[in-house]
């Protein structure tokens, strides 16, 4: 059996800051499969946190549990957002409380233009960024505001999905595989956007198979391995620790 990589898996380099999102002893199941096995971590306001691990490690299940999209019998544990008990909420209540999930499939609504997709997100209070402000953030969307959303390129659809989340007054942005299938130039454009919204105080959890890109963007990294948390610390440390990357990320 290989020796464990030399790092402090319990290190939390932002421990001096108060937790904004707190996940405590999260357990999640998919059918009979025990996917997330007692995971606990904190996320601090204004951070970008990369949630990493091999396929099947429990990353998407963790995001779905935070967003309350799984069934109540499929998970247990506590999740707190800004002192609000998300674990006691249904998905629509968690959304109103400030959780914004951008799923892997983006879920752009057919038959609606770019602008109509954004307007629909603002029907439910509280409203977040104005549509004009979103067009400033994503100029491509402004240029295509009257185009049907599902006819956009993959990268533009990802921009629309992120913009639609920001159109509500969210506190935490959850991104599931935002770079999948996108050209490097589009990935760089989305990274710049995520940096901009971080500078304006947005808290983001990013699940991404492109671990190097995610680590370069993130402040902190969480690594899951077969449903358990094996690392919580600096993203920079993961980039610099070859043994850690090989052990848990295969890079």
């Amino acid at each position: 059996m290989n020796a464990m990589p030399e790092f402090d898996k319990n290190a939390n380099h932002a421990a001096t800051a108060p937790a904004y999102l707190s996940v405590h002893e999260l357990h999640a199941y998919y059918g009979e499969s025990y996917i997330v096995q007692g995971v606990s971590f904190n996320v601090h306001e204004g951070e970008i946190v990369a949630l990493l691990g091999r396929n099947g490690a429990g990353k998407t299940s963790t995001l779905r549990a935070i967003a309350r999209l799984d069934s109540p019998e499929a998970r247990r544990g506590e999740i707190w957002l800004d002192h609000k008990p998300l674990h006691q909420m249904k998905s629509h209540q968690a959304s109103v409380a400030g959780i914004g999930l951008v799923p892997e499939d983006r879920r752009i609504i057919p038959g609606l233009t770019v602008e109509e997709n954004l307007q629909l997100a603002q029907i439910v209070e509280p409203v977040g960024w104005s549509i004009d402000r979103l067009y400033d953030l994503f100029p491509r969307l402004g240029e295509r505001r009257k185009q049907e959303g599902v006819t956009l390129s993959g990268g533009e659809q990802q921009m629309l999905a992120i913009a639609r989340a920001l159109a509500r007054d969210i506190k935490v942005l959850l991104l599931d595989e935002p770079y999948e299938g996108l050209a490097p130039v589009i990935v760089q454009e989305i990274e710049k956007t995520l940096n901009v919204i971080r500078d304006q105080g947005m808290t983001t959890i990013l699940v991404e198979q492109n671990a190097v890109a995610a680590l370069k963007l993130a402040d902190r990294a969480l690594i899951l391995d077969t449903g358990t948390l094996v690392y919580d610390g600096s993203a920079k440390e993961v980039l610099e620790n070859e043994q850690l990357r090989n052990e848990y990320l295969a890079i």
Side-chain angles (χ1 to χ4, degrees):
M1 182 175 179
N2 294 334
M4 289 287 288
E6 295 180 2
F7 65 91
D8 181 0
K9 71 177 183 178
N10 296 312
N12 184 339
H13 297 271
T16 56
Y20 193 56
L21 175 72
S22 181
V23 175
H24 180 66
E25 281 295 311
L26 177 65
H27 301 259
Y29 300 80
Y30 185 78
E32 297 297 319
S33 300
Y34 187 15
I35 304 298
V36 181
Q37 304 178 18
V39 167
S40 299
F41 60 86
N42 292 326
V43 177
H44 305 280
E45 190 170 9
E47 281 190 309
I48 295 180
V49 174
L51 180 59
L52 305 175
R54 292 186 174 91
N55 288 335
K59 306 181 298 297
T60 293
S61 294
T62 299
L63 288 193
R64 288 180 59 83
I66 293 171
R68 320 315 289 146
L69 289 178
D70 51 359
S71 58
E73 63 273 13
R75 34 84 176 157
R76 53 191 168 88
E78 293 188 359
I79 305 172
W80 297 83
L81 172 61
D82 196 19
H83 308 294
K84 297 183 180 70
L86 292 182
H87 54 281
Q88 296 178 2
M89 299 182 186
K90 297 181 179 179
S91 59
H92 70 278
Q93 295 170 320
S95 177
V96 172
I99 294 295
L101 172 65
V102 178
E104 184 178 354
D105 60 5
R106 299 160 191 156
R107 299 185 187 174
I108 305 305
I109 301 173
L112 298 185
T113 65
V114 167
E115 190 151 303
E116 288 168 342
N117 268 274
L118 297 177
Q119 289 171 337
L120 185 62
Q122 294 191 327
I123 288 176
V124 180
E125 297 288 346
V127 173
W129 291 29
S130 71
I131 291 177
D132 285 343
R133 187 181 177 197
L134 291 169
Y135 288 154
D136 288 339
L137 187 65
F138 296 103
R140 288 176 184 237
L141 298 183
E143 295 167 2
R144 294 159 176 75
R145 67 183 69 194
K146 300 303 180 184
Q147 184 174 334
E148 187 177 354
V150 294
T151 67
L152 298 174
S153 70
E156 290 163 352
Q157 287 191 31
Q158 188 64 62
M159 294 175 193
L160 177 55
I162 295 172
R164 188 176 56 191
L166 295 174
R168 298 187 299 103
D169 186 21
I170 65 170
K171 296 179 177 179
V172 177
L173 178 64
L174 306 177
L175 298 174
D176 194 4
E177 302 288 357
Y179 303 156
E180 184 178 16
L182 303 186
V185 65
I186 301 298
V187 170
Q188 291 173 5
E189 193 168 337
I190 291 174
E191 286 174 338
K192 289 179 182 177
T193 300
L194 295 178
N195 274 317
V196 169
I197 64 175
R198 168 174 49 191
D199 290 344
Q200 299 190 33
M202 181 58 63
T203 305
T204 302
I205 302 178
L206 170 71
V207 165
E208 180 54 56
Q209 285 298 320
N210 186 345
V212 172
L215 289 165
K216 288 180 178 178
L217 176 69
D219 303 296
R220 285 175 48 234
L222 304 169
I223 300 178
L224 296 179
D225 184 55
T226 58
T228 62
L229 185 67
V230 295
Y231 177 86
D232 178 351
S234 162
K236 183 174 182 289
E237 180 181 356
V238 182
L239 281 171
E240 294 175 349
N241 190 323
E242 182 178 358
Q243 186 182 5
L244 173 58
R245 297 197 314 274
N246 289 339
E247 182 79 14
Y248 294 114
L249 303 176
I251 56 174

